[in-house]
Amino acid sequence: MKFHTLHVLVENRAGVLSRIAGLFSRRGFNIESLAVGTCEEAGMSRMTIVVLGDDAQIEQVKKQLNKLIDVIKVSDITEQSTVARELALIKVAAEPGETRAEVMQVANIFRAQIIDVGAKTVILEVTGDSEKIDALETLLRQYGIKEFVRTGKIALLRGQKAIRSMK
Amino acid sequence: MKTGAKLLVESLQREGVETIFGYPGGAVLPIYDELYDAPIRHILVRHEQAAAHAADGYARASGRVGVCLATSGPGACNLVTGIATAYMDSVPLVAITGQVPTFMLGNDAFQESDITGITMPVTKHSYLVKRAADLGQVVKDAFYIAGTGRQGPVLVDIPKDVMTAQIDIELPIGRAKLRGYQPTYEGHALQIEKAVALIGEAERPLLYVGGGVIASGASEEVLRLAELMLIPVATTLMGLGAVPCDHPLNLGMIGMHGTEAANYAVTECDLLIAVGVRFDDRVTGKIDAFAPNARIIHIDIDPAEIGKNKPVDVPIVGDAGKVLQSIIRRLARTEGREMWLARVGHWKEKQTVKDGEDGLSPAYIIGEMSDLLGDRGIVVSEVGQNQMWAAQHYCFRRPRTWISSGGLGTMGYGFPAAIGAHFARPDETVVDVAGDGSFQMNIQELGTVVQYNVPVKVVVLNNMYLGMVRQWQELFYDRRYSYTELPAVDFVGIARAYGVDGIRVEEKEDVRPALEAAFATAGPFVLDFRIEREANVFPMVPAGAAINEMIGRRQR
């Protein structure tokens, strides 16, 4: 069992997300993360789905996804050279003074932005791969995380290679 | 200018739709108003579930897309079982539902239900049509999706204001355009080469054929391959009729209630050629013990079925008929499978005929029916013991003469499906083999057969039990018949009340005359056979056991 990253090109229509989520739930596949948005071609969306499973399960996930009429293309990009990012927003308890300075230092090291400062809190914005965000979260926990939100992973193949609807 | 409803009806005509099964209601009144003078026959059923089953029976008997129509909310919801039944058996169906007007969608309006959401897991695809201008293209796409690739049901949900909208539009011309949907029909050349090599080398090959062969019209190819290479054939419940029952190479049905020959053959074969099947648990039993020593070639139009339940050596995605043709073209006639054929023949011979010694046996009734109908019957079944007895004892010689809910096992399916089958093939004698439990699940359709004089013969194998459940209780729950006993019902009396003739039969010698009387009647007929109450379906493989571990006779 390991995490696989699937890149799914779909028609940008009402109900598509529901079809895909429904497929996962009723077949007992577990979605780790799912990110979706419009893409360079009108009428299409790109999805990045992270799913845990062994080879046979992932094969079945891909085949079942391919059966959906609104799915144009499914690629497992786990073994390919990709760039992948997640975005997280973290609200940390940081009283003015020493604590806040420390939090800002940590933010700096992780190339996170401070995007809001309150009386007793700051909000950090960080992008990166899952491990980086996990690491930052762990570090900030000692100060007290008030709220934490992260997007699913998004990914693209490196270089010239591209996943497109047309050959 | 025309209304959306008019455009819909024109679109249906363009798809060649002649018959629709449906039930009117508020949200579909504009469509019904158009149907009033359209050259499409509408059959008014008594329950929407029956509309879906009838359209399904129509599709299975004809090979064309069946169409049903229901109103919003409860009407649409009542279609769900029928849609799910069609989905599990890959039956091409277009279900059209009315919906509350677009401006009321999501408001919990009167008779609103999110039917696209409800049916999403049991449709091949679905549409909620929000603009009348889209209707023509949606209908084109819906029929294309339903009837191609691995066939299945498609839902088209149409809000009432879309039906009444005035639009100035011509129907879309040409084919459906769906960039995400391109079924594969031709098998991969390299895989076909591998299959040819394996078939040539095998010493104990077995063909395992299912509903995909019926859907693809590949019966002839299966038979040609079997005869050319001397390969015995086992068919699934859904594949009955793909090979003539009395063909020497046909071993009969495989699986939980399959024949000894088929179940032993799959256990001993060294090559399994699976065509249009999905390795269902009712066929395989314990999956590891299914074809344990065989290499497997799997031919299926749906890539997701290949390797889903059982690893496969040679996967071939494509249309069964086309793939088999490519394989046959590359094969030379074989000899020297005498040992294997003799072994298989030995199992076939020693198969016990399970005719009842005591009382009116279902095997006898189905046997007589088979004998009388010969080649002119379509047998539709309900679900349960009646279904298995029909499958075991009727001699199916042609494809599309056996219509039964295999995947979902829907009680109440048979009677309405038989009505649909009649409208698809009016020249055939259509028989619904029923149990007393199943028949009562859609018995109200007696009203439909009277209204349209549908000459369906209902053969009720009446044991005053939910027979198959009782059989499981007998075998696996220490004969504790918890809520499976049904009080005696006067089916002939009910039939007469609707205006259908019928006979009750209690003695063996009355079986044949009663069947003859039914088949000689021009209209519908109900036969109430009071069979022995605790007759069982044997052989039987207990759920989860290996396929060759069959229980053969009554355990008392």
Side-chain angles (χ1 to χ4, degrees), chain B residues 266-287:
Chain B
V266 75
T267 307
E268 288 199 10
C269 69
D270 67 351
L271 175 68
L272 189 68
I273 309 160
V275 192
V277 293
R278 57 191 181 88
F279 292 79
D280 179 76
D281 57 277
R282 283 295 188 268
V283 164
T284 62
K286 189 176 165 194
I287 192 82

Side-chain angles (χ1 to χ4, degrees), chain B residues 5 35 87 95 97-98 154 214 231 267 282 314 318 340 464 552:
Chain B
L35 283 173
Y87 182 73
T97 47
V154 177
I214 309 278
I231 307 173
T267 307
R282 283 295 188 268
V314 182
W340 173 233
M464 290 177 258

Side-chain angles (χ1 to χ4, degrees), chain B residues 89-171:
Chain B
D89 287 342
S90 309
V91 175
L93 191 77
V94 169
I96 300 165
T97 47
Q99 182 55 276
V100 299
T102 46
F103 56 86
M104 290 168 94
L105 272 173
N107 287 356
D108 302 325
F110 176 67
Q111 293 199 329
E112 179 185 0
S113 66
D114 171 18
I115 195 64
T116 47
I118 290 170
T119 58
M120 212 170 262
V122 292
T123 47
K124 186 170 171 187
H125 195 56
S126 51
Y127 292 95
L128 168 59
V129 186
K130 286 193 173 156
R131 301 184 324 151
D134 296 338
L135 263 170
Q137 187 64 49
V138 163
V139 169
K140 177 130 284 282
D141 292 351
F143 274 79
Y144 178 66
I145 292 167
T148 54
R150 178 175 183 174
Q151 301 176 329
V154 177
L155 179 92
V156 180
D157 193 29
I158 312 172
K160 193 169 181 181
D161 58 332
V162 172
M163 298 173 198
T164 52
Q166 292 284 337
I167 41 165
D168 185 14
I169 194 168
E170 288 305 307
L171 286 178

Side-chain angles (χ1 to χ4, degrees), chain B residues 518-533:
Chain B
F519 296 142
T521 304
F525 207 91
V526 171
L527 288 161
D528 180 12
F529 290 103
R530 298 298 173 100
I531 59 168
E532 44 181 305
R533 293 202 67 200

Side-chain angles (χ1 to χ4, degrees), chain A residues 9 11 13 65-73, chain B residues 92 124-125 127 140-152 154 175-185 301-303:
Chain A
L9 212 50
E11 298 285 354
R13 282 199 200 118
L65 281 171
N66 259 317
K67 276 176 73 166
L68 297 178
I69 308 290
D70 286 333
V71 168
I72 299 161
K73 198 161 191 174
Chain B
K124 186 170 171 187
H125 195 56
Y127 292 95
K140 177 130 284 282
D141 292 351
F143 274 79
Y144 178 66
I145 292 167
T148 54
R150 178 175 183 174
Q151 301 176 329
V154 177
R175 282 187 48 163
K177 283 197 205 91
L178 299 151
R179 54 184 162 182
Y181 177 67
Q182 279 132 16
T184 307
Y185 294 100
I301 198 153
D302 179 1

